[in-house]
Amino acid sequence: MRSASAMLLLSTLLAPPLLAPPLLAAQNPPPNNHVFVLRDGGTSGRMESITVPPIVGAPFTLTLVTEWSRSLAGSGTLTLTNQRPIMRDGRGRIYQERWFLVPKGGTQKSEIEIIQIMDPVQHTWYNCAVRPKICELLNFNMRTDAVYKPSLGVTGPTLDGKAYRQHEDLGTSSTSGEDVTGSRDILTLNPGVMGNEQPLVSTRESWYSPRLGINLVSKVSSPTSGQQVFTVTSLTTSEPDPKFFEIPEGYKIIDHRRPESSGPN
């Protein structure tokens, strides 16, 4: 019971959300605008993860290793971690599992919490909770014919004048056998914007694979949410087993889909 209670507390406060905000933002584009900017990491009560777009003809299977470190009052850091599989087939369908974050180096074992299956052709998103065996069926509005590009800042003051952004190109490299392009954006928030007496400096570094359309390494650091590192391991680019894109046996489906908007008249 003690282990279960600790796991529940971590899941409530720290685990990735069922509907990650970066993905939701990309799901609701302005009409006739099908260019989406991919943005990993961040927090909105719970930690957000990487964004995987539904790209056709670029299948993969990978393990995503996540570490989230935050400073403790006085000294030291608290680091949580997990590993979880993500797959995309040649049709652009996406399968991923959400696992609880657990203390790094501790005895507590992570457990699977959610299975997610997205189909851009059927426009379906199944969010399947493992313990109660319930799948919530949602609209999936990301498109296979859209353009997906990495989040790249521009050096200079932000439009609202509250911060200054410095963009750095880090060149090219190779990660997990894939060619990647690196970039770093440093955002300095002016004093007083968030009640801060001193400037707040946040850093976002990513290594993007143009062929797969995802970041293979992402590092996000801010004074308010600590440091998040997402690293792709065990990457293969063969077609995943089709069974992963089927609804797990014995799960109840609850349909939450809304009628698709026809757009402005």
Side-chain angles (χ1 to χ4, degrees), residues 2 39 45 52 68 127 161 216 241:
R2 186 175 183 180
R39 191 175 181 86
V52 180
W68 184 10
N127 227 45
L216 300 190
D241 192 325

Side-chain angles (χ1 to χ4, degrees), residues 60-77:
F60 64 75
T61 298
L62 62 83
T63 298
L64 182 68
V65 179
T66 297
E67 289 194 1
W68 184 10
S69 301
R70 290 176 293 173
S71 298
L72 299 175
S75 63
T77 58

Side-chain angles (χ1 to χ4, degrees), residues 71-82:
S71 298
L72 299 175
S75 63
T77 58
L78 170 67
T79 301
L80 303 174
T81 186
N82 71 11

Side-chain angles (χ1 to χ4, degrees), residues 17-244:
L18 304 189
L19 307 180
L23 191 55
L24 286 177
Q27 283 201 64
N28 296 282
N32 303 318
N33 182 1
H34 303 311
V35 178
F36 305 124
V37 176
L38 307 181
R39 191 175 181 86
D40 299 343
T43 59
S44 59
R46 306 170 84 187
M47 190 185 71
E48 299 158 15
S49 190
I50 71 169
T51 301
V52 180
I55 297 176
V56 173
F60 64 75
T61 298
L62 62 83
T63 298
L64 182 68
V65 179
T66 297
E67 289 194 1
W68 184 10
S69 301
R70 290 176 293 173
S71 298
L72 299 175
S75 63
T77 58
L78 170 67
T79 301
L80 303 174
T81 186
N82 71 11
Q83 299 185 32
R84 62 188 186 90
I86 304 176
M87 305 175 197
R88 184 176 65 202
D89 69 3
R91 296 161 52 186
R93 296 184 299 177
I94 300 164
Y95 170 93
Q96 57 180 324
E97 298 173 4
R98 303 285 183 170
W99 286 63
F100 290 109
L101 289 160
V102 295
K104 183 179 181 180
T107 59
Q108 190 172 359
K109 300 298 183 182
S110 181
E111 296 178 7
I112 185 172
E113 179 188 18
I114 298 290
I115 295 172
Q116 295 178 319
I117 303 171
M118 296 89 156
D119 189 327
V121 177
Q122 300 298 324
H123 308 295
T124 54
W125 177 347
Y126 289 93
N127 227 45
C128 302
V130 173
R131 286 185 178 177
K133 290 192 173 183
I134 294 176
C135 290
E136 297 180 278
L137 175 55
L138 309 167
N139 295 100
F140 184 68
N141 298 325
M142 296 183 78
R143 305 162 56 105
T144 58
D145 60 351
V147 176
Y148 299 94
K149 60 182 183 179
S151 175
L152 299 176
V154 178
T155 296
T158 57
L159 293 177
D160 58 11
K162 295 180 179 180
Y164 185 89
R165 177 181 288 107
Q166 179 181 342
H167 175 75
E168 302 175 3
D169 291 321
L170 303 180
T172 59
S173 185
S174 178
T175 300
S176 297
E178 292 290 322
D179 293 331
V180 291
T181 302
S183 65
R184 181 186 297 119
D185 287 287
I186 303 172
L187 184 69
T188 303
L189 196 66
N190 297 333
V193 173
M194 293 180 60
N196 51 307
E197 296 180 352
Q198 301 295 326
L200 294 179
V201 180
S202 301
T203 302
R204 182 179 296 272
E205 178 181 322
S206 61
W207 290 90
Y208 176 77
S209 166
R211 189 170 79 91
L212 300 179
I214 60 173
N215 292 321
L216 300 190
V217 179
S218 290
K219 301 177 182 179
V220 182
S221 177
S222 78
T224 55
S225 59
Q227 178 171 275
Q228 302 164 13
V229 181
F230 308 96
T231 306
V232 167
T233 64
S234 305
L235 174 66
T236 62
T237 55
S238 57
E239 194 74 23
D241 192 325
K243 71 178 183 180
F244 286 103

